[in-house]
């Protein structure tokens, strides 16, 4: 019985997460926030998508 309750509780948590994710995805962006970019100089974290090195590679590939 304990396992069934635990599975139902976990399933409810997953269901709540999925519903909230879908509702958040459908929410429109506020005015002025459509094309925001981080204004950073870049750091040593190359995995960061805002690192300027990623922009240089895109420009060279074009």
């Amino acid at each position: 019985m304990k396992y069934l309750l635990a599975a139902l509780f976990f399933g409810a948590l997953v269901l709540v997460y999925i519903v909230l994710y879908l509702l958040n995805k459908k929410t429109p962006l506020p005015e002025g926030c459509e094309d925001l970019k981080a204004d950073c100089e870049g750091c040593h974290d190359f995995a960061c998508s805002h690192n300027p090195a990623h922009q240089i590679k895109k420009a060279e590939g074009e």
Side-chain angles (χ1 to χ4, degrees):
M1 184 67 173
K2 287 192 293 185
Y3 297 114
L4 179 62
L5 289 176
L8 288 174
F9 181 73
F10 181 73
L13 287 177
V14 170
L15 182 66
V16 167
Y17 176 81
I18 291 171
V19 168
L20 291 176
Y21 176 81
L22 292 174
L23 288 174
N24 186 42
K25 193 173 181 180
K26 289 182 182 179
T27 304
L29 292 174
E31 289 183 29
C33 296
E34 289 86 10
D35 191 29
L36 289 180
K37 293 231 178 198
D39 188 26
C40 68
E41 300 291 322
C43 56
H44 298 292
D45 184 10
F46 186 72
C48 177
S49 63
H50 299 293
N51 191 312
H54 294 294
Q55 302 303 322
I56 293 171
K57 283 185 176 182
K58 287 180 183 176
E60 288 174 359
E62 294 178 350

